[in-house]
Structure formats: C-alpha cells, structure tokens
Amino acid sequence: MAVETAEDLLEKGRMLEELGGPDRINEARECYRMAAELGSAEACCRMGRTFNRGEDYIGGQPAAEWFDRAVQLGCLEAQARLGWLHYMGWGVPKAHDLAYSLINEAAGQGNALGQYMLGVMYERGDYLRRSGEEAFGWYSRSADQGHYRGCMGLAGLYFKGFGVKQSYGEAARLYAIAAEKPYPPAELALGTLYYEGEGVPQSYQDAARLYRRAAEGGMPEAMYALGVMYRDGKGVRQSNEEALAWYRKAERSDRDALYRIGMMILKGFGVPKSRDDAAGWLRIASGRGSWEARSALRSLGC
C-alpha cells in the first residue's frame, strides 16, 4: 500500500473541507495533522483555519497555536492570520503592536492576505493613523495579486471615495472580481449596486440573482434582501411564502448580522427604507446583546 505524502493528505483534507459539516471538518483536520507531522507548513496553516471559522471565532486559541507552528516553518499566510487574531483579540490577547509587527512583515514580503489586512488597519485607523491613501496602496498590492479580499477592500474605497476619487463603476468592477471566488459579501454588495442602479445598469433581476447567491452562501443581509424582493415581486415572482421563509432564515443569524440588517433598512440601501422595520430588526439584535443595536435604537428614540 502506497504511503500518503503531505501533498496527498493536503488534497484529501481540502476535498473534505469543501464537503462541509462537522464530521467532514474533523476528518479534514486529521489529514492536516498527519501532513503537519510530515513537516508541511501549509497543513499547519490550514489546520489553524479550521478552528478559525464563523463569526465568533471560538477556536481562536487552537487556531493561534497551529498558525504559530506554520510561522516557524516559514508560512507568511499563517503569520498574517496569527497577526489578525491578535489584532481582533479572537481567542488570544488583543495586542496591536504584535499584530502590526506580524502583518506588516508578511505584507512587506509580498503576502496578499497580509497586504489586505494592513489595508484594513489603515482604513480603520484604530491603531495606525487613519489613511485612505495608505489603505488604497495596500489593497491595490493585494488586488494586483488577484486576492479577492484585496479587490473587496479596494472596491469599498471606490464606493465611499476614501483615499481615491469616488466611482461606483470601479467599485462594481472590483466587487464582480471578488464575487467570482465566490464571496458572499461581494455578491451582496454587487447586488445592491444593481438594485440601486449605481455604477451598473439598474436591474432587479441581477440584484435578485446576486442576493440569492449570497444568501445561499450564508449571508444574512442577503437573505433579508431576497425576502424583500419576493415580498415586492421585484426581479422574482411575488411570493409571500418565499419572503417569509427568507426572513426566518435571516432572523436566525447572530446579533451582529441582525444589527447590519437593521442599519441596511434604516439607510434604505439595497432594500426599501423603513424606520419601523429597521427598529424591529434592531430590537431583535439588541435583545441578543448587541450594544451597537441598543445605541442605534436610542438614536432613533426607541
């Protein structure tokens, strides 16, 4: 019987991950663990990523341990990811100095993910001095390597006109590149532009198509938006049953997603604007512990 190489085990693990589900993820981890024992830096990194999934990043500590092992083997992606855990404080102590050191080094050595992360740090300005120009530069380096997150970050700058001249058309072009991944946040953003007719020809059909892709990819805001389109019969055949089904899926989301849905409705971007509907979603988010939702409700006088 042929002995499996690290590459064989990596490929098997990737296939199991794509199938999804807890059992398959555990089987993938076993493949990565065996490949890691054979000295594979990529296996260590991918092992860390299996613990670094979802909104809450409950597995931050084991993820950090595996990323650190990968870093010792020279993996720049793992270095960037380890830095991000420390930047966000996900399962490890929040340490901005350490985070910047790790991410900046990875970005400087050409890692596209690290370049994207450094762009985020400059755009947020909560540790580094906020700079649209610096964010634009780092996102551009990442996007030039074809990284979907770099494209997404760059699109956001064009959308807002931060660090670059505002252009919905350029934002749409970059969102479309990121959406090819596929990447649900990019699909949602591009769908919103089609809904509003900003930077692309107005099309409810294209908006609904993109919202559906993002919703099926697990994006709660897209679930809500698709429900609205079924309610109003825009781009899809009108169906109150379909609308309710998508609303219920969105309502099962985490508190941060519910807050984002409320703000999306309040601003009326990609969906009809409604103060009352926004307040309803914000109340749900607030009830689940979102301080941002509570703050928004106070601003609304609710």
Side-chain angles (χ1 to χ4, degrees):
M1 181 177 178
V3 177
E4 289 183 299
T5 66
E7 247 338 290
D8 293 334
L9 291 163
L10 276 170
E11 182 60 28
K12 185 176 178 181
R14 284 191 288 262
M15 291 174 64
L16 288 165
E17 268 199 273
E18 288 176 6
L19 291 173
D23 291 341
R24 292 291 180 263
I25 295 300
N26 285 331
E27 290 176 29
R29 284 177 179 153
E30 181 59 20
C31 291
Y32 295 148
R33 185 191 62 77
M34 289 190 291
E37 289 177 355
L38 295 173
S40 169
E42 183 181 348
C44 293
C45 184
R46 294 195 72 91
M47 184 71 154
R49 289 174 59 181
T50 67
F51 289 103
N52 196 202
R53 301 162 69 91
E55 289 281 344
D56 295 324
Y57 294 87
I58 294 169
Q61 186 172 351
E65 291 169 358
W66 280 102
F67 289 151
D68 188 57
R69 285 182 60 175
V71 171
Q72 303 312 311
L73 294 169
C75 180
L76 291 175
E77 179 185 330
Q79 182 171 325
R81 290 184 180 277
L82 181 60
W84 194 253
L85 290 183
H86 282 289
Y87 178 64
M88 300 301 294
W90 282 333
V92 293
K94 183 176 284 191
H96 283 168
D97 287 347
L98 175 59
Y100 174 72
S101 175
L102 290 166
I103 292 171
N104 186 55
E105 184 179 350
Q109 292 187 51
N111 178 260
L113 180 61
Q115 291 167 341
Y116 159 76
M117 290 174 174
L118 196 54
V120 173
M121 294 178 75
Y122 275 111
E123 184 179 0
R124 290 186 175 184
D126 54 359
Y127 171 69
L128 301 175
R129 180 181 60 83
R130 191 166 190 251
S131 169
E133 291 74 18
E134 286 285 354
F136 180 84
W138 287 107
Y139 286 151
S140 295
R141 290 179 179 89
S142 179
D144 286 346
Q145 295 192 61
H147 200 285
Y148 68 99
R149 287 188 181 272
C151 293
M152 187 74 182
L154 200 54
L157 295 184
Y158 275 109
F159 180 84
K160 293 177 285 191
F162 181 54
V164 66
K165 185 178 179 181
Q166 198 273 344
S167 171
Y168 287 134
E170 189 62 13
R173 184 186 73 81
L174 289 159
Y175 282 140
I177 294 172
E180 291 174 3
K181 170 77 179 164
Y183 186 45
E187 293 162 346
L188 173 66
L190 185 58
T192 298
L193 290 179
Y194 273 108
Y195 186 95
E196 300 290 342
E198 299 281 12
V200 289
Q202 199 283 333
S203 170
Y204 289 134
Q205 287 78 16
D206 283 326
R209 173 179 58 83
L210 287 157
Y211 285 163
R212 183 181 301 279
R213 281 172 50 185
E216 290 174 348
M219 196 77 188
E221 299 95 313
M223 296 173 191
Y224 173 79
L226 188 58
V228 169
M229 299 199 82
Y230 272 109
R231 181 196 69 189
D232 297 342
K234 291 181 175 179
V236 292
R237 184 175 180 179
Q238 199 281 334
S239 170
N240 291 334
E241 292 77 11
E242 283 285 345
L244 184 59
W246 284 110
Y247 289 156
R248 285 175 173 166
K249 288 181 180 179
E251 195 173 338
R252 290 195 290 269
S253 306
D254 65 83
R255 65 192 182 191
D256 292 335
L258 293 169
Y259 164 73
R260 293 194 301 270
I261 292 172
M263 296 308 293
M264 180 172 70
I265 304 166
L266 187 63
K267 294 175 181 177
F269 199 69
V271 293
K273 187 174 184 177
S274 170
R275 185 180 183 279
D276 290 342
D277 286 349
W281 285 90
L282 289 170
R283 286 191 185 97
I284 298 172
S286 177
R288 296 185 189 176
S290 169
W291 67 267
E292 292 171 307
R294 286 195 291 271
S295 177
L297 285 167
R298 283 196 297 269
S299 297
L300 290 172
C302 298

